[in-house]
Amino acid sequence: MSTAMNFSTKSFTPRPPDKGAFPLDHFGECSAFKERFMECLRHSGYESAACRQRAMAYLECRMERRLMANEPLEKLGFKDLLNEKAEEKPEK
């Protein structure tokens, strides 16, 4: 039986990860976006690069409904898709 006395024990306070853990979508507010993304993955042989537009739409839905922190889409890896979208808009 070990009875070591440790007077300098620091208390550990856990904190949630910065990214990667999101609240659950209990009310299914973004389930249509999720289903379209999952369908795209199945049809593309689970090649996520082919479904980036749908992934971006899903994340936008989650941010709009406060199911994740608002982040610029550029920081989430969609800068090239945003540039394409801007180029498609006709000039006035």
Side-chain angles (χ1 to χ4, degrees):
M1 187 158 92
S2 175
T3 56
M5 297 183 74
N6 195 351
F7 293 106
S8 64
T9 303
K10 294 181 183 179
S11 64
F12 173 72
T13 30
R15 67 178 187 83
D18 294 331
K19 290 188 175 90
F22 306 116
L24 295 176
D25 187 4
H26 291 291
F27 301 111
E29 298 174 77
C30 297
S31 61
F33 292 96
K34 180 189 75 168
E35 288 305 316
R36 282 190 286 257
F37 174 67
M38 294 304 295
E39 181 182 326
C40 178
L41 283 177
R42 285 189 289 274
H43 288 301
S44 69
Y46 295 94
E47 181 61 43
S48 62
C51 305
R52 292 183 65 230
Q53 286 281 7
R54 292 184 179 162
M56 184 174 75
Y58 175 63
L59 292 175
E60 285 176 322
C61 176
R62 290 190 62 89
M63 286 187 278
E64 288 169 3
R65 288 158 179 82
R66 298 179 186 254
L67 293 170
M68 66 180 279
N70 276 333
E71 288 277 344
L73 291 170
E74 294 88 1
K75 283 182 72 177
L76 296 174
F78 297 106
K79 185 175 184 176
D80 59 327
L81 294 179
L82 294 172
N83 290 339
E84 287 175 14
K85 209 185 264 189
E87 289 172 3
E88 289 176 6
K89 289 183 182 177
E91 292 184 29
K92 292 183 181 180

